Amino acid sequence: MTLPMILAPLFVLVLMTLVLGFWLPMVSVPMLRRGEVQPQDVDLRQLNWPRPVQQINNSYTSQFEQPVLFYVLTILAIISKHADLLFVVMAWIFVLARLAHAYIHVTSNNVNLRGPVFGIAALVLAIMWLIFMIRIMLGLP
């Protein structure tokens, strides 16, 4: 696998995080300027934002939880030369699940949809880590 092929899923996830991060102030700052939200009601991370802002914020925050394990694993897989086709395929499944999770989070926020998609991403990531650990511990290629 080439480095761009290995890093492409990671780059997509980073880009999604950046989009969410830049989208958040585009939605929240106008609400502050219009007086719909008072600064003292949200300055200490109180949950006083209108629902759409909170959904984007929650999705953005979520990108610094489970995906961190993906980022670390990708770096370790590159360094140890264990980033093969299986790794890249599973990485794309993880990233596509995370994209779907974020989409659901910022649109309908339907927990009955969001939960299973989160579970798929978590399961794929757990399997990726398990495969990596076994290969490293047993000295497998």
Side-chain angles (χ1 to χ4, degrees), residues 35-131:
E36 296 172 32
V37 176
Q38 298 305 311
Q40 66 273 15
D41 293 336
V42 295
D43 63 351
L44 296 175
R45 293 189 177 204
Q46 302 96 313
L47 300 177
N48 294 329
W49 287 102
R51 188 173 180 84
V53 174
Q54 196 61 51
Q55 285 174 251
I56 297 167
N57 185 58
N58 289 352
S59 186
Y60 178 68
T61 301
S62 176
Q63 303 317 312
F64 299 97
E65 296 168 352
Q66 191 184 63
V68 171
L69 292 173
F70 172 73
Y71 296 139
V72 171
L73 180 58
T74 300
I75 293 165
L76 290 172
I78 291 168
I79 291 169
S80 65
K81 301 193 183 324
H82 282 84
D84 57 4
L85 179 62
L86 177 61
F87 179 88
V88 172
V89 168
M90 293 184 78
W92 275 114
I93 294 169
F94 173 77
V95 169
L96 290 173
R98 290 299 304 179
L99 289 169
H101 181 265
Y103 177 78
I104 295 165
H105 217 159
V106 300
T107 57
S108 71
N109 199 31
N110 182 332
V111 176
N112 292 324
L113 292 174
R114 201 179 81 213
V117 172
F118 178 88
I120 290 168
L123 179 62
V124 170
L125 185 60
I127 292 168
M128 290 174 74
W129 267 103
L130 186 61
I131 291 169

